[in-house]
Amino acid sequence: MGDWKTITVPVLSSDSKNIPPYTSERKRSPTSMSSQVLHLSLPSSKSMHSFFSAFCTEENIEQSISYIDRELTTLGFPSIYAESKGKELNLVSMVNCMNELLVLQHKNLRAQEEIEIQHLKLGSDMDHLQNCYAKLKEQLELSKREIVGLQERDRQLQSKNRNLHQLLKNEKDEVQKLQNVISSRATQYNHDMKRKEREYNKLKERLHQLVMNKKDKKLAMEVLNYVGRADGKRGAWRTDKTEARNEEEMYKVLLSDYEQRQKQLLLENTELKKVLQQMKKDIISLLPPQKQKPKERPEDGLVLSDQEEDIGELNKENMWELSCETVREQLTNSIRKQWRMLKNHVEKLDNQVSRGHSGTLNEKDVISREDHELETEKLELEIQQCKEMIRTQQQLLQQQLTCDDDTTLLLQDCYLLEERERLQEEWRLFREQKKNFEKERKSFTEAAIRLGLERKAFEEDRGAWLKHQFLSMTADCKSENLTTPSAFLRSSDPDIRLVRSVSRQRRPPSVLSPTVSPEPCQISQYIAQNSVASEKPAADNMPNLWVESDDKEETEECTKSWEDSGLGTLCRNLHMEQLP
Amino acid sequence: ASCVQHRLVVRDASSLQILQLYTCLDQIQHLEWSSDSLFILCAMYKRGIVQVWSLEQPDWRCKIDEGSAGLVASCWSPDGRHILNTTEFHLRITVWSLCTKSVSYIKYPKACQQGVAFTKDGRYMAVAERRDCKDFISIFVCRNWQLLRHFDTETQDLFGIEWAPNGCVLAAWDTCLEYKVLLYSLDGRLLSSYRAYQWPLGIKSIAWSPSSQFLAIGSFDEKVRILNHVTWRKITELEHPATITSKKTIVYKEVEKSPTVGTERLSFPPTRALASSLFSTQSKYDISQVPVSLQYIKPVADRANPKVGVGMLAFSADNCFLATKNDNIPNAVWIWDIRKLKLAVVLEQLCTIQCFQWDPCQPRLAVCTGSSRVYLWSPAGCVVVQVPGEGDFQIMSLSWHSSGDSMLLLSKDNFCVCYLEREEV
């Protein structure tokens, strides 16, 4: 800047007096650069003129020209003097110099502008940076304050935490103390209780002794008569055998209970194993679809194949019959693995579905839905058809039922008639048989009557004959008759009995009153009953036989009186069997 | 059979006709039928006398006098021919035989709630004993009263023993200060012991399921724990909270119905039936919508035997349901489905529940609350049955007939029999 000044000023003015001030101005210029330059850059033309004229006046032209020349040469320009010595000016060189000076001037101006621009830029940058710096300083201050605040809080919380920990510890200690107190009190109470109990036991013992010592005069137990045991058995003595039996029974009871429980547990186990097997099969059936998408995870395919091989092997081994630990573990592990795979599969499907919803629709889904709809339609059609068929069938059935009402009734009637006829036939047969039976009975009774009569006659004859014989025998020899009559008597015991009975009967027929007859009837029935019920114990049999033997005679008496009634014949028949 | 003061009245169960009348020497305190229903024992604790009457032969007499030993309890043995008398202060148990007039003594019996337990088939009897401050259990064979096994138990103070219905396992539980259940096999081996927690009050009630598969333990912490018979470990805990939120439970609430009396029928003076129907309120069941909050009573803290916890437990005869009552919520019966181990039904009544019992044949539960109504529940629904009659008939307890056709309802002074009709199918 100073250069510009020095250059311009001496050109404009050639006042020798102004040179020292100009030099002084030159000196001053570096100090007051910018403002003065700016000022001077906009001088009015008049001042410029005055300034310019101040350096060079008409008096000091030569001095000023020589001065200018000296300056130019020092600056490197060619001299403005002509080559020849003298004071002639080289106009061309002067013009060139002027041009050069102007170019320089332009350059310098441009440089100055650029510098000024840069200066401005730098100034604005500086401002900007200073602002930033100020802001950052503020932020830094704020953050520092925040940090301090947070640190404070942290410290407070930590102190709180410590306090709480301390409290917790105190509480725990208290709890522990209380527990100790409780346990110590409990032991103390137990000890006291035991002491009191021992005293109490002593009292009880004393009381027991007193009670046992006092012999009550009244019987402790009065029973009218003994009661049979509930199960009918008699009491057993206490022996070792019974003790052993008791132990046996107890162990039997326990064993049976354990066996039952074991059976139940076995059943449960087999059922659970079956369920596990089924689950495995189901999982296997679900897993194959994974094989169709090998792109996603090729590793799974390999794993699957291995797994399936294992599964196949395990299935072949018929797992549920084996129950050892390793097999059980294998089963559960395989199921767990497959379950995990199934889970992964389901998760993948879920992801796919979500992707499908958000992104493009998978064609497969659409097709499947269409298939689904088609199938549902088909099913609906089928259902309708079935319903119609059912309806038609129902109608047909109803028609059949309604039009065949009469025929069914007729049929029913036919059946009833058939049955009735059958029944009537049976009735007829039954009646015929009844008649036959009655006829036979009558014939039998007649026959019995005849027999009786014949017997009577026979016995009368016999009696007469015996009488004859006896009389003849006694008439012949008296001494030898003892044996024979006895022998005879023995052989004809029943005959004599019959004789006796006959004689008895002959004497007083009036003795047999109607009142007697029902009794023997009953007795005979009793006999009949006794003959039938032969299960009575041996001890009781004797009196019955006695009764029987007593009644035999009586019944013999009565049978003859009952020859007309069927009962009598029955009795006699039975009687005949009973006679030894 | 029922007793009035010192008279014993025997009635026919189906017609309530009086069959026999016996007179005892003193006021009867305890009445028990023998297992074959041929004899009845009447115990008069004040005099220390037990009189036995026979139904077959009304003239038969039997009197057992304990003398100065006193009498505290008396019961039949399962064969119906022996009577077990517990003397005063639980000095001894005397076994009187009606067949042989012989006497046996069991020394040192334990004075606890359930000290003597018979197996269901009547073969074995377990007696809790205490010697030298230690608890023992003796198992006797009922046929000849021989001692089979005698072993000690690891309990502080044995509270009760009960046989499983299959007769092979004996459950023994400790006093409520100690939660402990010990399971012994028939031959005296300890099968398992179960303890849920240590310090708070322990077991309040225990029930075996009819198939011996489950043992339900009701405790003071309002929970029921069910153990299974294979591992003797807890399979589930059933809680009794005051609010029911599950949607699958049905809550039946008893609601009072205003008595409907037609105004034209009112007459003066009012007939007895009318008066009773006016004063006795009818009620019916309503289904409440879940969530339901039940009336919860907080117990008084410093009294002993607080009304807390599950105090009543009963399994149904077909092993499908478990009915429980939480004493904190005294108006509700909780019915659990054992197959699903979930709460099936809650019956909320108006008054405190006194007693409930399952029908021995079907899954039917009868509940009585001290009012004159008996409540029946079955999986098909529930119904309120009013006891017809004049005045108040406050049902205190009930008992089913073994055929499941009729039910005995007992109040303080009277009893009545409720007959249930079978549905014609």
Side-chain angles (χ1 to χ4, degrees), chain A residues 135-372:
Chain A
K135 271 187 216 162
L136 284 169
K137 237 182 162 181
E138 274 178 40
Q139 270 185 7
L140 187 68
E141 283 290 303
L142 271 169
S143 51
K144 270 190 190 164
R145 260 178 259 147
E146 264 180 49
I147 281 170
V148 165
L150 284 170
Q151 274 181 345
E152 262 299 314
R153 244 213 294 174
D154 185 43
R155 236 178 288 139
Q156 278 177 0
L157 285 171
Q158 272 195 350
S159 64
K160 247 195 195 174
N161 196 17
R162 252 178 278 134
N163 287 343
L164 286 171
H165 269 294
Q166 195 63 39
L167 275 172
L168 183 68
K169 234 179 151 186
N170 292 343
E171 292 293 320
K172 275 191 184 166
D173 288 334
E174 262 196 64
V175 163
Q176 195 62 41
K177 264 189 238 164
L178 281 170
Q179 280 195 339
N180 291 339
V181 161
I182 288 172
S183 55
S184 67
R185 280 184 93 108
T187 46
Q188 186 66 34
Y189 287 139
N190 284 338
H191 178 75
D192 280 340
M193 276 276 286
K194 282 198 179 141
R195 200 157 39 95
K196 295 223 165 90
E197 234 196 283
R198 276 188 211 114
E199 270 188 56
Y200 178 61
N201 282 341
K202 277 187 216 158
L203 278 168
K204 272 206 316 199
E205 290 279 309
R206 203 71 202 292
L207 192 65
H208 198 219
Q209 280 173 12
L210 286 168
V211 161
M212 295 303 279
N213 284 341
K214 244 193 180 182
K215 294 213 171 165
D216 292 317
K217 287 187 187 163
K218 23 182 179 168
L219 277 169
M221 181 165 166
E222 295 170 12
V223 188
L224 196 64
N225 56 345
Y226 294 110
V227 179
R229 284 173 74 97
D231 48 1
K233 291 185 199 161
R234 296 189 200 182
W237 293 104
R238 277 189 200 182
T239 53
D240 289 332
K241 223 180 173 187
T242 51
E243 277 189 30
R245 223 188 303 152
N246 286 337
E247 296 265 322
E248 238 189 79
E249 274 186 30
M250 179 188 76
Y251 283 125
K252 264 192 219 167
V253 164
L254 277 174
L255 277 172
S256 62
D257 180 61
Y258 280 132
E259 271 172 24
Q260 216 190 18
R261 256 199 265 168
Q262 209 206 6
K263 269 188 225 162
Q264 276 179 5
L265 287 168
L266 273 174
L267 278 170
E268 263 192 66
N269 267 350
T270 48
E271 274 187 40
L272 286 168
K273 273 188 196 155
K274 273 188 211 163
V275 166
L276 278 174
Q277 284 278 335
Q278 263 191 349
M279 266 176 64
K280 231 181 29 169
K281 278 184 203 160
D282 288 338
I283 291 171
I284 292 166
S285 64
L286 283 170
L287 282 172
Q290 249 189 352
K291 267 191 172 176
Q292 290 171 9
K293 296 171 192 171
K295 292 177 194 172
E296 297 190 19
R297 278 185 208 174
E299 310 139 6
D300 278 357
L302 290 165
V303 174
L304 259 175
S305 56
D306 286 337
Q307 291 263 321
E308 292 207 16
E309 280 172 19
D310 289 335
I311 293 154
E313 280 175 22
L314 290 169
N315 276 335
K316 284 173 203 166
E317 284 172 15
N318 227 10
M319 292 249 322
W320 53 79
E321 285 174 20
L322 300 162
S323 59
C324 51
E325 282 269 336
T326 46
V327 169
R328 220 191 310 147
E329 276 177 28
Q330 272 177 26
L331 174 61
T332 47
N333 285 338
S334 67
I335 284 183
R336 267 194 220 130
K337 271 188 234 165
Q338 278 159 45
W339 185 250
R340 245 180 280 144
M341 282 167 57
L342 184 69
K343 257 201 328 191
N344 292 338
H345 180 54
V346 168
E347 276 168 20
K348 266 187 250 160
L349 284 174
D350 278 338
N351 291 338
Q352 275 185 6
V353 164
S354 57
R355 263 185 274 143
H357 276 301
S358 55
T360 54
L361 284 168
N362 218 353
E363 280 190 357
K364 284 187 187 175
D365 291 339
V366 172
I367 290 167
S368 65
R369 237 180 272 159
E370 284 181 3
D371 282 338
H372 204 50

Side-chain angles (χ1 to χ4, degrees), chain A residues 91-145:
Chain A
L91 204 67
V92 173
S93 59
M94 240 174 72
V95 167
N96 284 333
C97 292
M98 270 179 75
N99 192 26
E100 296 256 353
L101 284 167
L102 280 169
V103 165
L104 260 174
Q105 169 81 335
H106 282 302
K107 261 196 232 168
N108 286 335
L109 275 172
R110 256 180 267 136
Q112 201 186 3
E113 272 180 35
E114 275 173 26
I115 285 164
E116 273 185 2
I117 288 165
Q118 257 195 8
H119 187 73
L120 281 169
K121 267 194 206 163
L122 288 169
S124 66
D125 280 344
M126 268 280 269
D127 285 336
H128 177 67
L129 283 169
Q130 271 183 346
N131 286 337
C132 283
Y133 176 66
K135 271 187 216 162
L136 284 169
K137 237 182 162 181
E138 274 178 40
Q139 270 185 7
L140 187 68
E141 283 290 303
L142 271 169
S143 51
K144 270 190 190 164
R145 260 178 259 147

Side-chain angles (χ1 to χ4, degrees), chain B residues 39-150:
Chain B
F39 299 97
I40 307 174
L41 82 79
C42 308
M44 288 143 268
Y45 296 147
K46 285 183 198 159
R47 279 245 208 143
I49 295 177
V50 173
Q51 272 187 295
V52 186
W53 305 99
S54 157
L55 275 189
E56 278 183 323
Q57 302 174 35
D59 303 326
W60 188 82
R61 294 250 179 284
C62 174
K63 185 178 81 164
I64 298 171
D65 191 353
E66 285 289 337
S68 44
L71 194 61
V72 168
S74 180
C75 67
W76 283 102
S77 74
D79 63 356
R81 295 286 177 272
H82 293 82
I83 295 175
L84 285 88
N85 283 347
T86 314
T87 56
E88 228 169 331
F89 302 118
H90 290 267
L91 278 179
R92 60 164 196 258
I93 296 180
T94 38
V95 183
W96 300 91
S97 164
L98 289 175
C99 322
T100 61
K101 230 188 183 179
S102 64
V103 182
S104 325
Y105 294 104
I106 299 175
K107 274 174 133 191
Y108 309 114
K110 184 110 199 248
C112 58
Q113 206 183 47
Q114 258 175 269
V116 175
F118 292 101
T119 57
K120 204 172 173 187
D121 52 8
R123 271 194 181 165
Y124 300 102
M125 173 177 83
V127 178
E129 296 176 8
R130 195 167 173 100
R131 290 165 211 246
D132 291 333
C133 310
K134 254 205 139 184
D135 290 316
F136 294 91
I137 292 180
S138 303
I139 300 182
F140 292 90
V141 182
C142 288
R143 210 160 28 102
N144 43 22
W145 302 108
Q146 268 188 322
L147 178 66
L148 188 67
R149 283 281 186 278
H150 180 79

